[in-house]
Amino acid sequence: MRMPYTTGVSAGVSISNTGRQLVRSGTVAAVTALLALGAAGQSWASTPTLRWTTGAPTPVTTLKLPMSVDSAPDAAGVYFAYYTTLESGTRPYAGFQPEPVDADGHHSLQAVFSSFSADATTTDTHCTHGADGGAGVSCAVRFAYTPGTMYSLVLKRAGVTGDTQLMSGDVVRTATGTSVAHIGSFSLPSGSGRFKGADQGFMEPYLTAGCGQQVTVTYGKPVGTEAGTDYVGGLPAVTDPASGSCLSTTSKATAQGQQVTVRGNAAAAAGR
């Protein structure tokens, strides 16, 4: 399984990451190439993980995956990711990463949508070819967020044209459906199909700095939409690994959703 990653998007600003950098000038978005973790050998399987379901009886054309960041340092380092599986078995990833404050001093989140498929292509300016140092497409956008507000990743099989299908990712306010930001889009072979209605996710320190952070997020109930019908699942279940990660979690159900606090352990990471 590929390791998690970081991407960066800005308007005319370079985003630097551990030895890899991609810069686009002017007002065109810049998306950095994906990178390996600072802690060598770490994989998603050794981190806190979650299982989620929409409860849909069939694959779905649209997924809405809600999350609020309740408290976090204004710094990069931890990735809260969902992975999804299409009918063909290929797995697009999506998630949120707290980031440093923006130019106006607002709290900032980065939303990510990516594919590791060698067949993925894109013309979206929020995206670039390549994923985690290999084949695929990586898309990302940063947006100002309000702590405690629920935002949804909206992932769609947006359309099929001939032998290709368009996959799109956006961010909306969960409560209202109001558009917040476009993450990006990429094409896959049309046989890739729709999203399966249940899958997993992980919480990963993609930078060693993330091992020293404490972040609290709340997962809402995933929603799958197919043929005009919305299927609402239960709250995701969170599990800690027996060993291997510099992060540990506490988890409880609240009125808003499943609240998870990730506590880093920099000493444990340094000792591996």
Side-chain angles (χ1 to χ4, degrees), residues 233-263:
L235 297 178
V238 178
T239 303
D240 282 333
S243 62
S245 176
C246 67
L247 296 181
S248 64
T249 64
T250 58
S251 179
K252 64 180 181 181
T254 69
Q256 190 176 22
Q258 191 70 22
Q259 188 178 75
V260 178
T261 296
V262 176
R263 293 181 175 87

Side-chain angles (χ1 to χ4, degrees), residues 146-181:
T146 302
T149 296
M150 193 76 73
Y151 299 91
S152 288
L153 297 159
V154 180
L155 312 180
K156 293 183 179 181
R157 188 187 193 221
V160 179
T161 304
D163 59 358
T164 64
Q165 65 182 49
L166 182 67
M167 309 299 298
S168 67
D170 296 275
V171 180
V172 303
R173 286 183 178 267
T174 306
T176 63
T178 305
S179 177
V180 173

